[in-house]
Amino acid sequence: MDDFDPTLADPPATERPSDPRDPFLTALGERVRSLRARRGLTRKALSQHSQVSERHLANLELGVGNASVLVLRQVCRALDCPLPELLGDETSSSPEWALIRDLLRGRSEDELRRGRMALTDLYGQSGAPDARAQRIALIGLRGAGKSTLGRLLAESLDVPFVELNTEIERVGGCSLPEIHNLLGSAAYRRYERRALEETIQLYPDAVIATPGGVVSDPANFNLLLGHCVTVWLKATPEEHMARVMAQGDLRPMAGNREAMDDLKHILAERTPFYSQADLQLETGGKPLEQAFAELRRLVEPMHRAAQGMH
């Protein structure tokens, strides 16, 4: 049932409920009023554009009641703003953010990629191109062959091999399951960041096998992209699962009859991020020797050239 009666008159602008208002709803109401003022709209005009009653808008702006997501979406469409701006993400905090967001709106993936790389260079978040080429980072889901192929590649290039999971455990002082179960995902991401920063600082020349979820944290993935040449090792969900189980780890199937569906969903969600890698290699259906030979042909000339520049 709707808590608002659209037949009632607007409350006076000075009216405030006697009970303390929720700070989030209060801030939300202030942003609605601010955006409405920025667009030069009266409450009545916003009501007409959004098909939301004036009384409903009045309560929303006063920070009372709890508007549904559908109502907020209608208001956003009428104000021509994204929902995060209304809810108060950091891109709504200044005029510069608003101008930058408008420049990026509607751009193609290739245009956005070029913009991201330009900003990365501008703010000193990336290494020199030849320095990047000396660090090869392998990304992809667990079971893609990052550790096996990474060790072979490091031996072939005569450079150190770094298993980032091992470095995360060193930084955290306990195993990965303990970090996740006892300390939580926020702590894990902090340790991942520190391990990645230390690896970049200590190893100017290396092959790095990364955790499958490194792409899930934009800050960590930006750091990786800025300082390493990244290679996405691709395989089907079925091959990922089979390889993990062949290693003797049956946990993916333990107590989860929908494990394959979950794995497919994870891969689908991460694919747009994995696709940001500099290079891609399909490892599915290939024996180890063939996959390694293709990986070496893919990165060795670039790596050797970068070494020759130092």
Side-chain angles (χ1 to χ4, degrees), residues 1-6 8 53 55-56 59 64-68:
M1 179 181 296
D2 194 341
D3 292 329
F4 302 95
D5 184 352
L8 296 178
S53 74
R55 175 58 187 252
H56 208 145
N59 280 280
V64 296
N66 193 348
S68 71

Side-chain angles (χ1 to χ4, degrees), residues 40 68 77 116 143 149 171 199 201 215 236 258 264 278 291:
S68 71
R77 287 174 175 172
R116 174 181 57 79
L149 290 173
V171 169
T199 297
Q201 183 177 10
V215 300
T236 66
E258 300 177 350
K264 290 178 179 178
D278 299 288

Side-chain angles (χ1 to χ4, degrees), residues 14-296:
T14 57
E15 179 181 320
R16 292 293 183 271
S18 56
D19 295 332
R21 294 175 298 163
D22 182 89
F24 175 80
L25 295 179
T26 301
L28 174 62
E30 291 172 353
R31 282 190 291 273
V32 173
R33 286 197 302 275
S34 175
L35 286 167
R36 179 163 64 82
R38 194 183 305 170
R39 303 293 191 271
L41 294 172
T42 63
R43 190 184 297 163
K44 183 175 183 178
L46 179 57
S47 174
Q48 292 172 342
H49 287 305
S50 65
Q51 298 297 302
V52 175
S53 74
E54 291 183 58
R55 175 58 187 252
H56 208 145
L57 290 173
N59 280 280
L60 178 60
E61 292 186 1
L62 287 171
V64 296
N66 193 348
S68 71
V69 173
L70 293 177
V71 166
L72 294 180
R73 186 177 65 172
Q74 289 173 249
V75 173
C76 285
R77 287 174 175 172
L79 292 172
D80 190 27
C81 72
L83 187 58
E85 183 173 4
L86 199 64
L87 295 179
D89 76 341
E90 65 175 341
T91 65
S92 65
S93 61
S94 74
E96 290 296 342
W97 264 117
L99 293 171
I100 292 171
R101 188 175 58 241
D102 184 70
L103 285 174
L104 298 178
R105 184 177 297 159
R107 300 290 181 182
S108 68
E109 283 295 309
D110 184 59
E111 289 174 320
L112 291 173
R113 179 187 178 91
R114 294 203 304 270
R116 174 181 57 79
M117 294 176 69
L119 287 173
T120 300
D121 291 338
L122 176 63
Y123 293 116
Q125 296 298 307
S126 64
D130 56 321
R132 284 184 68 242
Q134 289 189 262
R135 293 188 202 90
I136 309 299
L138 306 180
I139 69 173
L141 277 187
R142 188 178 178 206
K146 294 171 293 184
S147 296
T148 303
L149 290 173
R151 287 190 178 91
L152 292 173
L153 182 62
E155 182 178 351
S156 174
L157 297 176
D158 193 25
V159 300
F161 172 71
V162 180
E163 184 80 62
L164 202 58
N165 274 336
T166 301
E167 297 305 303
I168 294 171
E169 291 181 328
R170 177 186 59 78
V171 169
C174 53
S175 68
L176 294 181
E178 289 173 325
I179 294 174
H180 282 292
N181 296 334
L182 299 178
L183 304 176
S185 60
Y188 173 82
R189 292 303 171 198
R190 288 198 304 272
Y191 296 151
E192 182 181 67
R193 174 79 178 194
R194 182 176 163 190
L196 185 54
E197 289 174 336
E198 290 183 1
T199 297
I200 291 171
Q201 183 177 10
L202 293 173
Y203 298 97
D205 201 358
V207 174
I208 306 168
T210 67
V214 70
V215 300
S216 302
D217 186 281
N220 291 352
F221 194 35
N222 262 330
L223 184 64
L224 188 75
L225 291 171
H227 291 272
C228 307
V229 166
T230 50
V231 185
W232 176 21
L233 302 184
K234 305 169 62 176
T236 66
E238 291 77 12
E239 286 170 315
H240 282 293
M241 183 71 78
R243 290 171 183 174
V244 171
M245 296 183 68
Q247 296 167 6
D249 188 350
L250 303 181
R251 288 177 298 170
M253 300 301 293
N256 186 359
R257 297 173 60 185
E258 300 177 350
M260 184 56 68
D261 287 340
D262 291 340
L263 184 59
K264 290 178 179 178
H265 181 69
I266 292 172
L267 181 57
E269 290 297 319
R270 289 181 179 174
T271 289
F273 294 92
Y274 289 144
S275 298
Q276 301 302 312
D278 299 288
L279 304 165
Q280 300 182 15
L281 175 64
E282 179 65 60
T283 64
K286 299 174 182 176
L288 177 62
E289 294 77 9
Q290 179 185 349
F292 171 59
E294 292 181 9
L295 176 62
R296 186 172 58 186

